[in-house]
Amino acid sequence: MSEQYVWDLHQVDETRVAIVGGKAAHLGALSRIEGVHVPGGFCVTTKAFRRIIEQTPSADDLLDRLARVTPDDRDALRVLSAQIRRAVEATPVPDDLAAEITRALARSGEGAAYAVRSSATAEDGPTASFAGQQDTYLNVVGPAEVLRHVSRCWASLFTERAVTYRHRHGIDHRTVHMAVVVQQMVFPDASGILFTADPVTGHRKVATVDAGFGLGEALVSGLVNPDVFTVRDGEVVSRAISAKRRAVTALPAGGTQEVVIEAQRQEEPALTDAQAVRLVELGRRIEAHFGRPQDIEWCLADGDFRIVQSRPITTLFPVPESGDRDNHVYVSVGHGQMMTDPMKPLGFSMWQLTAMVPMHEAGGRLFVDVTQRLASPTSRAALLDALGKGDPLIRDALETVLDRGDFVPSHPDPDRAPAGPPPGGAPAPIETDRAVVGGLIERSRTSLAALEREIRTKSGPALFDYLLEAFEEHKRIVGDPLSMQVIMAGMEATWWLNDTLGEWLGEKNAADTLTLSAPDNVTSEMGLALLDVADVVRPLPEVVAFLRTVEDDDDHFLEELAKLTGGPEARDAIEAYLDRYGMRCVGEIDITRPRWRERPGALLPAILDNVRNFEPGAAERRFELGRQKARQKEQDVLSRLRAQADGDRKADETKRMIDRVRTFIGYREYPKYDIVCRYSLYKQALMGEADRLVQAGVLTGREDVFHLTFQELHEVVRSNRTVDPQLVRQREEAFRAYHALTPPRVLTSDGEALTGVYRRDDVPPGALVGVPVSAGTVEGRARVVLDIAEADLEAGDILVTAFTDPSWSPLFVGIAGLVTEVGGLMTHGAVIAREYGLPTVVGVEGATRLIRDGQRIRVHGTDGFVEILD
């Protein structure tokens, strides 16, 4: 069988993708499902395609040239792909292959009409569907025409759109091969697409049916708007019937034609409700077989549905596994941690093991199940209040679920909140005493020193036993009740000042100025310390010139730096900075991300920006200026309050809150710093184990451990059993695919992704709405930055990005304002923006897409919106 070039569809299934491609494999599997009718046919295997490529003289050279083209070079992609297509189509089909195809046609009747369809090996997979990337030819009649269209399908592997798609998904063109499906043609009364989950909301219990008259090409090409049926629980819950003025039908001699639908039929539904329900029932069988929601192409002929294709819907965000059939509501962890990128398995499993609450993984992101807290009125109010202060969109999304009234179950004891500390609940009172903060920081340092000292002595299984104990100490330090009291005291004092001074003085966000240059903020100190590094580098022209040539992934430039005039001083300044902050990096909650100590070149853009944009001594001046502004604001507020009725009482109360916020608010950043310090030590130890496993031949590469969970790595170390390279490759592919998914703020167990909306009418038309987190208004040039390593900022620029974790704060010293897509009032970026006095709006949905790099914008940090000025 392995020597065959042609296989009947009933011979293949999902295990034969490498031989027959994704489409044929799915069709073969579909034909085995009870009650599912698939038009008969056969498949010309990938072996035939490889033979054709081998016989195409210029193929090797053209593929080599194509591999060197960047995805953005559209002209080169277009020219090279066209050359490959022409070369493949010009290669004659060998006589023995042509004879085998002709014999297969004879079994169905040589005069019959066929659909000739491409079936690539990278097509219709679980992470990339490749829908519409290769070609399909309908109503092909006669052996000669079938052979010609088989060649055209082979060539369609190299259409410009298919080549670009593979480039962007990081897929090597040589690893993808093309099979061709030849199926008996169906001449349908109606056809269309069935999605077994709502493709927009992700809801897994809602199916949508698009339907039109004739062949489905009319819908695919956009020739007509389809009828749309929404089906849930066995009934049509909504329908939209379109005027279908045209259809595509088959010509008797082959090919298709566009025809006008009779006027009296144009607004008739293409399906009855009963047919739509029956089709969805078939779709549910298909979905159950493949184990995930499907995008299904169907035809209706003589009252019978024929399924002509089924592929996974790859755009849906996955649902966390709960182990039961109950309803669940999940809240995104990444939106609170300001890191919504996917994490690798070692990264998310480590976060799960060190987190204070259970977390569930889906799509490489983590979520917290809040169903039980929503079920009790007592805990629900506290949860919505806490999450709403952090991110109003999360609160709105949760309220949308609650408003339906039937999804979240009532708690059996509605007055008793579930076990565990209520998020954002009021802690016990604490005195305003800076020594409390100092004691917490010293306790953290002592614990970290013990971890660093002891972890060095561990290896092998003993290391993992020790780490499990260390994770408990980790959680004890992070969850220290006194630490939580200090954090809440600072946050509550901030809220009190904003609310009360808004009422008494009519001021918005007064606390933003009052918290400028607050003490003990390790993250804002980190940004200022990089200004001090720039002061060392600035007067050294040879060093500056050298640093401009260093790539951000050059891990050894510090060795070369020391050989230059002034180089040792510059190196020592950078090294000292790394000693204090080298454990940080972008996306630092993911242990697999390279730390600054591992990749110091990542700091160079910010250092060079500081060299260019600032004068010596800027760090000290900036901190002192913020302190003075805060002091002046305090005096102004207190004097205005004393002038009011009952002014002394108001001023005294306000003074106590100002002292409280300045005492405690800086500590808000320290627990995250402690966590990242611990992660750096964990990582060093684990990478030592990875190196040992590579030397022992258990792992192929040291970073393969990133694609294992902590538990899996523990087992590998314990057993010394070789890691399956295929498992690592599958997880690498899944991780790449997860980047294309946008994580929702709220996700239900039905798969519905909710992002929430701002319900405001106090912004100008066309303005982008967000959360005001740092007061002031600023106008300037928008710099849209998606990768911190590519940041090129000038003084007065406004940074626009998806999210900022603490590693971005060195950039904050040189910008005039900040806009992010993710964030809330007390996320790290907001806290540092206030520290630096940057007008900031966060939670602006689609900001990096709606604002173009270089556009002039105005950021209203007090009122929470952004205007695009040109």
Side-chain angles (χ1 to χ4, degrees):
M1 183 178 290
S2 61
E3 296 302 314
Q4 287 180 275
Y5 285 119
V6 174
W7 286 18
D8 285 339
L9 284 180
H10 65 76
Q11 293 178 284
V12 303
D13 58 22
E14 302 100 317
T15 65
R16 305 290 187 181
V17 171
I19 299 168
V20 299
K23 185 176 292 152
H26 279 79
L27 286 169
L30 283 166
S31 67
R32 291 171 165 76
I33 302 173
E34 183 179 356
V36 175
H37 299 153
V38 177
F42 59 87
C43 180
V44 184
T45 67
T46 56
K47 181 181 177 184
F49 170 78
R50 290 196 297 272
R51 183 173 170 188
I52 292 296
I53 293 297
E54 288 168 3
Q55 293 179 8
T56 301
S58 57
D60 267 348
D61 176 59
L62 289 170
L63 286 170
D64 285 342
R65 289 165 59 191
L66 191 61
R68 294 192 292 270
V69 175
T70 64
D72 296 328
D73 192 346
R74 297 294 299 274
D75 290 338
L77 287 175
R78 182 170 58 254
V79 170
L80 284 170
S81 60
Q83 289 175 337
I84 298 174
R85 287 199 308 278
R86 286 195 296 270
V88 171
E89 287 192 46
T91 301
V93 180
D95 291 343
D96 61 323
L97 174 55
E100 194 170 344
I101 294 171
T102 302
R103 284 196 298 273
L105 289 170
R107 290 195 290 273
S108 300
E110 291 187 2
Y114 293 90
V116 182
R117 315 171 71 197
S118 59
S119 180
T121 53
E123 189 173 10
D124 294 352
T127 57
S129 75
F130 285 74
Q133 300 307 312
Q134 285 88 41
D135 288 346
T136 289
Y137 302 98
L138 300 177
N139 199 30
V140 180
V141 178
E145 281 299 291
V146 169
L147 287 171
R148 186 169 73 86
H149 285 85
V150 167
S151 287
R152 293 181 71 184
C153 278
W154 286 330
S156 76
L157 189 65
F158 303 104
T159 61
E160 182 185 352
R161 63 183 182 273
V163 166
T164 301
Y165 191 92
R166 290 195 295 272
H167 255 54
R168 289 179 176 166
H169 282 75
I171 298 171
D172 184 346
H173 300 291
R174 291 182 182 273
T175 65
V176 183
H177 302 126
M178 178 67 82
V180 181
V181 176
V182 181
Q183 276 182 288
Q184 293 171 7
M185 186 68 190
V186 177
F187 301 100
D189 303 311
S191 57
I193 309 292
L194 161 64
F195 295 99
T196 64
D198 189 312
V200 177
T201 68
H203 203 302
R204 304 309 201 262
K205 292 182 179 178
V206 174
T208 61
V209 178
D210 290 5
F213 294 127
L215 295 167
E217 302 313 292
L219 302 186
V220 173
S221 65
L223 183 64
V224 296
N225 292 323
D227 296 341
V228 180
F229 299 83
T230 303
V231 179
R232 179 170 183 173
D233 297 331
E235 65 175 305
V236 174
V237 294
S238 71
R239 70 185 63 74
I241 307 303
S242 299
K244 300 169 289 296
R245 295 180 175 83
R246 295 180 176 276
V248 174
T249 62
L251 288 165
T256 62
Q257 65 178 347
E258 181 184 317
V259 298
V260 176
I261 301 292
E262 301 92 332
Q264 65 271 23
R265 291 190 62 215
Q266 289 179 3
E267 297 194 17
E268 290 181 6
L271 294 178
T272 65
D273 283 6
Q275 287 171 328
V277 169
R278 180 155 58 94
L279 176 60
V280 170
E281 289 172 353
L282 285 175
R284 293 296 180 210
R285 288 189 209 171
I286 295 168
E287 179 183 70
H289 175 86
F290 290 117
R292 58 186 300 163
Q294 296 289 299
D295 165 359
I296 299 167
E297 294 182 23
W298 57 270
C299 298
L300 178 66
D302 301 323
D304 184 27
F305 284 108
R306 317 288 174 84
I307 305 301
V308 295
Q309 186 163 326
S310 184
R311 62 171 77 90
I313 307 175
T314 59
T315 56
L316 299 179
F317 200 87
V319 179
E321 293 185 8
S322 64
D324 59 43
R325 293 175 175 265
D326 296 340
N327 290 347
H328 294 270
V329 181
Y330 302 97
V331 170
S332 166
V333 172
H335 285 79
Q337 289 295 330
M338 298 291 280
M339 209 292 277
T340 55
D341 287 347
M343 301 166 73
K344 294 173 183 172
L346 185 61
F348 67 68
S349 64
M350 289 284 284
W351 193 258
Q352 286 172 311
L353 286 166
T354 53
M356 301 304 295
V357 295
M359 293 185 177
H360 307 265
E361 182 272 336
R365 280 81 168 189
L366 291 172
F367 295 84
V368 173
D369 186 344
V370 297
T371 317
Q372 289 302 310
R373 293 201 175 279
L374 291 175
S376 163
T378 304
S379 57
R380 179 191 309 152
L383 179 75
L384 292 174
D385 184 58
L387 293 178
K389 281 178 173 150
D391 186 337
L393 292 179
I394 290 179
R395 176 171 187 145
D396 183 81
L398 290 174
E399 288 177 337
T400 298
V401 176
L402 290 168
D403 286 346
R404 292 172 184 161
D406 60 352
F407 190 82
V408 177
S410 296
H411 198 281
D413 181 359
D415 295 323
R416 183 176 63 82
I430 183 174
E431 291 298 318
T432 303
D433 183 357
R434 231 183 126 185
V436 175
V437 174
L440 286 169
I441 292 174
E442 185 55 37
R443 195 180 311 176
S444 165
R445 288 173 177 165
T446 301
S447 176
L448 278 167
L451 173 64
E452 185 171 13
R453 185 171 60 250
E454 293 170 17
I455 202 169
R456 290 174 177 169
T457 67
K458 312 296 181 185
S459 63
L463 169 65
F464 287 81
D465 293 339
Y466 173 74
L467 282 173
L468 291 173
E469 295 175 6
F471 295 163
E472 294 307 309
E473 169 68 2
H474 177 128
K475 289 190 280 189
R476 187 187 71 78
I477 291 289
V478 174
D480 184 334
L482 182 59
S483 176
M484 299 301 293
Q485 285 177 296
V486 168
I487 291 171
M488 287 307 302
M491 292 168 65
E492 288 179 341
T494 300
W495 296 331
W496 187 96
L497 287 167
N498 282 336
D499 293 344
T500 307
L501 295 182
E503 178 186 346
W504 289 347
L505 297 177
E507 284 209 19
K508 291 184 178 179
N509 304 324
D512 293 358
T513 305
L514 293 167
T515 55
L516 289 173
S517 298
D520 299 314
N521 189 316
V522 68
T523 306
S524 62
E525 290 168 0
M526 178 173 69
L528 295 174
L530 206 61
L531 286 172
D532 292 334
V533 174
D535 285 353
V536 176
V537 170
R538 190 179 293 105
L540 304 172
E542 192 175 342
V543 168
V544 173
F546 169 73
L547 294 180
R548 285 175 178 152
T549 68
V550 176
E551 299 291 334
D552 71 320
D553 59 353
D554 182 348
D555 302 337
H556 306 290
F557 76 91
L558 289 171
E559 300 167 13
E560 295 299 314
L561 179 62
K563 301 173 185 177
L564 306 176
T565 302
E569 297 95 316
R571 179 200 58 193
D572 290 348
I574 295 173
E575 286 282 5
Y577 187 86
L578 292 172
D579 287 343
R580 179 78 167 115
Y581 303 110
M583 76 296 295
R584 311 213 81 149
C585 66
V586 174
E588 61 194 10
I589 69 170
D590 182 353
I591 197 173
T592 71
R593 295 286 190 103
R595 312 283 125 177
W596 287 342
R597 170 56 77 183
E598 299 169 71
R599 191 158 294 170
L603 289 170
L604 294 184
I607 293 174
L608 291 170
D609 281 349
N610 290 346
V611 166
R612 183 174 68 247
N613 295 331
F614 291 93
E615 296 296 324
E620 185 176 351
R621 286 196 306 274
R622 189 181 188 98
F623 186 82
E624 180 58 25
L625 178 62
R627 196 187 65 80
Q628 290 176 7
K629 284 183 176 179
R631 179 64 178 162
Q632 290 165 3
K633 184 68 173 178
E634 176 182 335
Q635 293 171 347
D636 174 63
V637 164
L638 296 179
S639 65
R640 289 162 60 197
L641 287 172
R642 288 194 178 100
Q644 295 183 354
D646 198 19
D648 287 342
R649 180 190 64 79
K650 291 179 179 177
D652 289 346
E653 199 170 346
T654 300
K655 172 61 174 168
R656 283 196 298 273
M657 285 299 179
I658 292 173
D659 290 346
R660 198 164 178 78
V661 80
R662 290 196 65 80
T663 298
F664 293 137
I665 199 64
Y667 180 75
R668 165 74 178 83
E669 292 294 296
Y670 201 87
K672 181 73 171 288
Y673 176 75
D674 177 278
I675 290 170
V676 176
C677 288
R678 292 174 191 277
Y679 267 36
S680 180
L681 295 171
Y682 303 154
K683 183 177 185 180
Q684 291 172 38
L686 291 174
M687 295 316 290
E689 287 302 301
D691 290 335
R692 185 187 66 76
L693 293 171
V694 170
Q695 291 173 358
V698 174
L699 285 178
T700 302
R702 72 192 306 256
E703 293 192 357
D704 286 358
V705 297
F706 295 163
H707 295 285
L708 303 176
T709 65
F710 178 87
Q711 296 86 344
E712 289 169 341
L713 180 56
H714 187 179
E715 177 59 24
V716 168
V717 169
R718 188 193 63 76
S719 66
N720 226 34
R721 188 175 302 147
T722 302
V723 175
D724 181 4
Q726 181 63 24
L727 173 67
V728 174
R729 283 195 298 272
Q730 287 173 352
R731 290 188 176 173
E732 286 175 340
E733 180 184 343
F735 178 71
R736 283 195 298 268
Y738 290 155
H739 277 280
L741 301 176
T742 300
R745 284 176 165 81
V746 172
L747 181 66
T748 73
S749 49
D750 283 346
E752 186 177 10
L754 299 104
T755 58
V757 295
Y758 293 109
R759 303 182 189 278
R760 294 175 55 186
D761 55 8
D762 59 342
V763 298
L768 307 180
V769 184
V771 181
V773 297
S774 184
T777 300
V778 65
E779 184 177 315
R781 179 179 66 162
R783 296 315 307 262
V784 180
V785 179
L786 300 180
D787 182 346
I788 193 172
E790 297 174 1
D792 182 15
L793 300 166
E794 300 283 351
D797 283 346
I798 297 170
L799 174 62
V800 180
T801 190
F803 56 82
T804 62
D805 61 12
S807 68
W808 286 72
S809 53
L811 296 185
F812 287 14
V813 298
I815 58 176
L818 174 66
V819 179
T820 69
E821 295 180 337
V822 175
L825 191 62
M826 281 299 173
T827 48
H828 298 278
V831 171
I832 304 308
R834 288 194 291 275
E835 283 277 330
Y836 288 163
L838 297 176
T840 298
V841 181
V842 301
V844 180
E845 281 288 293
T848 59
R849 174 176 50 84
L850 299 170
I851 300 172
R852 295 195 311 274
D853 186 58
Q855 273 187 317
R856 208 157 177 80
I857 63 174
R858 185 180 297 125
V859 177
H860 295 262
T862 305
D863 295 310
F865 63 90
V866 180
E867 292 180 284
I868 299 175
L869 304 179
D870 58 33

